[in-house]
Amino acid sequence: MADDLGLSAGAKGISEGIKTGREAGREIGKNIEEVQKEAVDVAKQQANARIRERREAEFKKERAIFKALEEYKHRKKISEEEYQLRIDFIKKYGTKEWQKLIDIKTEIERLEKEDKKYFDAELSKVRWVQFWCFLAAGWIAYFIVWGGKK
């Protein structure tokens, strides 16, 4: 009589529904675990990136300090050498000749500055011409490729 009412089929359906629900729950659990693992991995990568950036910044800072120290030593050595050269030169040739030497140095620096200014002006002109050449080449290329297609 129970089979006539379909109780066994209903019990099987409920049993299969529960089984399917369990499997779906397991799959959802696995997906949630995977998402959590991915989130942890991303957080670890970001933390490592921040640590790496901090170390690089410290390294650059230290490197800058060492560069500054080397530059200081270099400038100090030059100033000491210039001072010693001045003393030796004045002893040997006198202060009038030292002034002539300073005038020659000033003239050389002025000429170098003028040369640099001239070079920069010429370079600027070359860049301007280069810009117009690229613009013309682009215009020609455009008309070769798409110009005749109307």
Side-chain angles (χ1 to χ4, degrees), residues 89-144:
F89 191 88
I90 290 174
K91 283 181 184 178
K92 189 171 185 177
Y93 299 106
T95 55
K96 287 184 182 181
E97 295 297 318
W98 176 255
Q99 188 57 43
K100 288 180 184 177
L101 181 70
I102 296 298
D103 293 342
I104 292 171
K105 176 188 166 198
T106 305
E107 180 67 19
I108 291 172
E109 288 174 346
R110 184 185 63 78
L111 290 173
E112 286 176 352
K113 188 176 180 181
E114 287 177 3
D115 287 344
K116 184 180 178 342
K117 185 177 178 182
Y118 177 76
F119 175 78
D120 289 344
E122 291 298 311
L123 184 62
S124 175
K125 290 176 188 176
V126 168
R127 286 183 178 159
W128 184 248
V129 169
Q130 188 179 24
F131 166 76
W132 283 108
C133 288
F134 285 142
L135 186 66
W139 185 74
I140 291 169
Y142 171 80
F143 280 104
I144 287 174

Side-chain angles (χ1 to χ4, degrees), residues 6-7 28 36-38 42 56 59 67 76 84 94 103 106 117 122 129 138 141:
L7 290 177
I28 291 173
Q36 288 175 342
K37 286 180 183 178
E38 289 175 5
V42 168
E56 288 174 3
F59 179 70
K67 281 183 178 180
K76 184 161 179 75
Q84 188 62 39
D103 293 342
T106 305
K117 185 177 178 182
E122 291 298 311
V129 169

Side-chain angles (χ1 to χ4, degrees), residues 9-23:
K12 282 184 180 180
I14 290 174
S15 173
E16 288 179 15
I18 291 173
K19 184 179 177 183
T20 306
R22 283 185 195 156
E23 290 175 6

